[in-house]
Amino acid sequence: MEKKSSVLVETYPDVGMASFGVIGHAVVQFCQYTIIGGGVTMYIVYAGTQMQGFAQFLHYEAVNRWMFILAAGIVVWLPLVSLKTVREVAWISAMGGIATLLAVIISNQSQIL
């Protein structure tokens, strides 16, 4: 995507800057960071809650929900700081999607029983 003045527009905040100036840049950047941070936070809380539900299903009551959420956060954080290429991140992302699907299936099965 290029502007007529040959300024290269590479990111969403750049599109906001090209469209609405500094205010557009700030608004788009705020929205982008909110979505990125909020999505990861919701996933961590969801994964921790599902792990707690699975532990209760197995009659393991020794650990509270916050410990499961902390464990899910560490599992999400470790690949972020240790993986070097997008190809490695893609494999971890695919496994995370499969794990989420399994968590939903297990959750639904435990509610049926």
Side-chain angles (χ1 to χ4, degrees), residues 1-10:
M1 201 174 167
E2 270 190 60
K3 260 178 78 173
K4 290 181 182 177
S5 66
S6 74
V7 175
L8 187 62
V9 178
E10 295 180 345

Side-chain angles (χ1 to χ4, degrees), residues 4-58:
K4 290 181 182 177
S5 66
S6 74
V7 175
L8 187 62
V9 178
E10 295 180 345
T11 64
Y12 288 120
D14 291 344
V15 172
M17 176 71 102
S19 301
F20 302 107
V22 176
I23 292 174
H25 182 272
V27 168
V28 171
Q29 191 169 20
F30 172 77
C31 291
Q32 183 180 17
Y33 289 156
T34 302
I35 289 169
I36 291 170
V40 171
T41 302
M42 288 187 319
Y43 178 77
I44 290 171
V45 171
Y46 173 76
T49 303
Q50 291 301 316
M51 288 190 318
Q52 182 205 17
F54 185 64
Q56 286 176 347
F57 179 72
L58 297 175

Side-chain angles (χ1 to χ4, degrees), residues 43 86-101:
Y43 178 77
V86 176
R87 177 175 279 177
E88 294 170 343
V89 173
W91 283 105
I92 296 296
S93 176
M95 288 184 210
I98 292 169
T100 302
L101 180 65

Side-chain angles (χ1 to χ4, degrees), residues 69-96:
I69 292 174
L70 180 64
I74 290 171
V75 166
V76 169
W77 177 74
L78 280 175
L80 182 68
V81 297
S82 64
L83 298 177
K84 303 297 182 208
T85 65
V86 176
R87 177 175 279 177
E88 294 170 343
V89 173
W91 283 105
I92 296 296
S93 176
M95 288 184 210

